[in-house]
Amino acid sequence: MSLNLTYIGNPILKKATAPVREFGEALAAHLPRMVEIMREEGGVGLAANQAGLDMRFAIVIANVDDEDRETDEILLMANPEILEFSRDECVIEEGCLSVPGLREDITRPEHIRVRYQDVDGNTMELHTGDFLARVIQHEMDHLNGVLFIERMSLAKRTLLKKKIESIREEYAGR
Ligand SMILES: [Zn+2]
């Protein structure tokens, strides 16, 4: 199956993904193409439904906060669950490969504790802040059928309504 980036308007981005049940080779097989899509588009994370897969996993660049990084550490997070959100929130500008051309400030919790399964199905836990925490929250929203534009205030969404509509039209059917 060839995977391609899905865009706003595609129904797969609006529904919660199905839990991953098969690990190992079956799951790892999707990785090369997902990493390729993420890199081609200059992203730092990609949820499976952004590649057209109805599966509850995402990839993120685990060392995204290391500005001097020479190689990307790709982390696959299957069936992720947030165990804890910090009460502190922060504002970070977000963009989304599925909503090209739109970048907006979004407020979210600063730190998270997340439990997930790795490619082999082992249960892992990660406590993180900085930009990585932001990327994970953004990708987890995707897995729940939520786009970052839905995290904007109603006032801002109303203001951007025309722009969002034109992006949707431009990418419809792709
Ligand atoms: Zn996104």
Side-chain angles (χ1 to χ4, degrees):
M1 182 162 79
S2 90
L3 306 178
N4 288 299
L5 184 57
T6 57
Y7 295 97
I8 181 172
N10 188 319
I12 200 166
L13 294 174
K14 291 292 287 177
K15 67 187 268 294
T17 46
V20 173
R21 299 191 197 285
E22 275 186 87
F23 295 88
E25 270 308 303
L27 185 54
H30 300 302
L31 276 175
R33 179 59 184 145
M34 281 186 63
V35 171
E36 187 176 61
I37 292 172
M38 183 176 73
R39 291 220 166 106
E40 276 171 1
E41 308 291 335
V44 290
L46 191 75
N49 48 347
Q50 288 185 280
L53 294 168
D54 180 12
M55 294 173 78
R56 195 165 184 80
F57 79 93
I59 55 170
V60 296
I61 297 179
N63 55 344
V64 67
D65 289 296
D66 174 5
E67 283 170 16
D68 302 327
R69 69 179 184 274
E70 279 171 12
T71 52
D72 294 336
E73 246 176 70
I74 306 288
L75 177 63
L76 181 147
M77 307 179 93
N79 305 325
E81 267 183 89
I82 302 225
L83 303 176
E84 210 181 302
F85 289 103
S86 65
R87 231 179 286 167
D88 294 340
E89 295 187 320
C90 60
V91 178
I92 296 182
E93 191 185 67
E94 292 185 29
C96 180
L97 302 185
S98 296
V99 190
L102 191 70
R103 297 193 64 85
E104 284 297 323
D105 284 346
I106 306 287
T107 304
R108 297 184 194 259
E110 191 165 6
H111 294 87
I112 52 168
R113 183 181 303 280
V114 58
R115 180 188 290 154
Y116 64 95
Q117 285 171 285
D118 70 9
V119 70
D120 295 313
N122 302 305
T123 299
M124 315 290 276
E125 255 186 54
L126 178 69
H127 182 226
T128 179
D130 299 321
F131 191 49
L132 179 60
R134 179 53 65 114
V135 175
I136 293 171
Q137 290 178 80
H138 179 112
E139 301 313 332
M140 286 188 63
D141 267 357
H142 274 302
L143 299 178
N144 291 326
V146 174
L147 291 175
F148 83 114
I149 51 178
E150 293 166 66
R151 296 288 181 190
M152 292 175 194
S153 65
L154 192 58
K156 202 177 238 182
R157 279 181 79 174
T158 306
L159 205 67
L160 290 170
K161 199 167 185 254
K162 280 217 174 92
K163 182 163 188 188
I164 293 168
E165 260 328 297
S166 74
I167 296 170
R168 194 192 304 272
E169 276 166 28
E170 189 181 343
Y171 288 87
R174 284 216 219 167

